[in-house]
Amino acid sequence: MVEQLVSNAAILLAGFYIISLVYKEPITKELSINRKMVIGVWAGLLGFALMIFGIPISNNVIVDLRHIPIIMVGFYGGPIPAIVSAVIITTSRFLISVNSAAVMAGVIMMLIGIITALFSKRLEKYNIWGVFILNIIACGFVVINLHLILAKEPDFWVNMFTFVSIALVIGAVSAGLMKNMIKSKQLFQKYEQDSTLDYLTRLSNVRQFDEKINHVMDAGSRQVTLMLIDIDYFKNINDTYGHDAGDAILKQLAIILKRNTSDGSEAFRNGGEEFSIVLLDCPIEKGNFFAEQVRKETEEHDFMIPSGKLVKITISVGVSSSKDGANTSEGLFKSADEALYKAKLTGRNRVCIADGN
């Protein structure tokens, strides 16, 4: 029995490892409902695989670790994957045999799924110990069920002690593995996000700007309008109020810019006090109107710095379009940059359209 349970455990751990390779997102309660359903289905199929390689301990009665996938996905993913996996495991049990033992086993799996769904949130603060508690409860249900059926079988309590011991150890190992996979994926997502987002404003960074502008320009099927934005006299703000104040203003301006983008358009921080907005399917007249809106909103906004003081700033904006002007990403950027320079030279706090647009 020990060797067969260890084989069952190997299938279980291999199943968790495989899903970590296939599924890019960590299993958390923040997943979408559809993703949680998929995770529940996967756990249910894993439970079915464990049943196929289960350990027969009497006629029509098998022992395996099918309850552990329910606990794992329920503890880390919430009620939906717990219930979905329990339903699939319960239903698939009848593919092996249809008898009173299968009915009782199905009831037990559903109880485990419901209890996991109800208590996983309350137990998550205990981390692996929370999984251990759920595993003890699940093993208790299994043992009680088997006792009702097999109480007179020889070596019943020896078999149950072996089963519970291995189930608790493998449950703890599975919880540790799951926790490690979740942490690794979360760190990977963070590093991936940090490589594309500006650390301060959380807007897309200049690398993403280059990729975006090159992609939409190479496609050539959409009109692209580019806004280059520069904060007027930003050095004076840093010199007067300090760099913390400058950072606070940059973050608040980023919020304004992001709030004004939609439908595939996107705001970027190109570096320092320089920002940009890429507008798709936008003629130059509409881009000019949009830029003027952003300029005016910025001028009227009260920017709060760490000292609590309210500060006013203005921006200069250069606007260029891919139609009747620049037809390459380099040309689009150059013409918008020249328009921005013109806005600076002619008094700042204004929007200028590139020559030729």
Side-chain angles (χ1 to χ4, degrees), residues 230-301:
D230 191 88
I231 300 176
D232 298 326
Y233 304 110
F234 187 70
K235 183 178 183 301
N236 291 346
I237 294 171
N238 282 330
D239 292 343
T240 304
Y241 302 108
H243 288 279
D244 287 346
D247 288 348
I249 287 172
L250 290 172
K251 288 191 282 188
Q252 292 169 68
L253 178 59
I255 293 172
I256 293 174
L257 300 182
K258 192 170 185 177
R259 190 167 60 229
N260 280 279
T261 56
S262 61
D263 300 329
S265 300
E266 191 172 355
F268 304 83
R269 185 187 180 197
N270 293 42
E273 67 272 27
E274 298 174 359
F275 296 83
S276 60
I277 296 179
V278 176
L279 302 168
L280 301 182
D281 303 319
C282 179
I284 190 66
E285 296 81 7
K286 186 177 178 181
N288 181 51
F289 176 79
F290 178 82
E292 185 59 34
Q293 266 190 321
V294 173
R295 184 205 63 78
K296 186 176 180 183
E297 184 176 345
T298 303
E299 182 183 27
E300 294 175 350
H301 186 78

Side-chain angles (χ1 to χ4, degrees), residues 8 22 29 36 52 54 59 82 99 139 151 154 162 176 180 183 200 221 238 257 264 283 293 300 303 318 320 339 343:
N8 217 237
V22 174
K29 294 180 175 67
K36 289 179 180 179
I52 292 175
N59 292 333
N99 48 52
C139 287
T162 303
N180 183 62
K183 186 175 181 180
L200 180 65
S221 59
N238 282 330
L257 300 182
Q293 266 190 321
E300 294 175 350
F303 290 81
S320 179

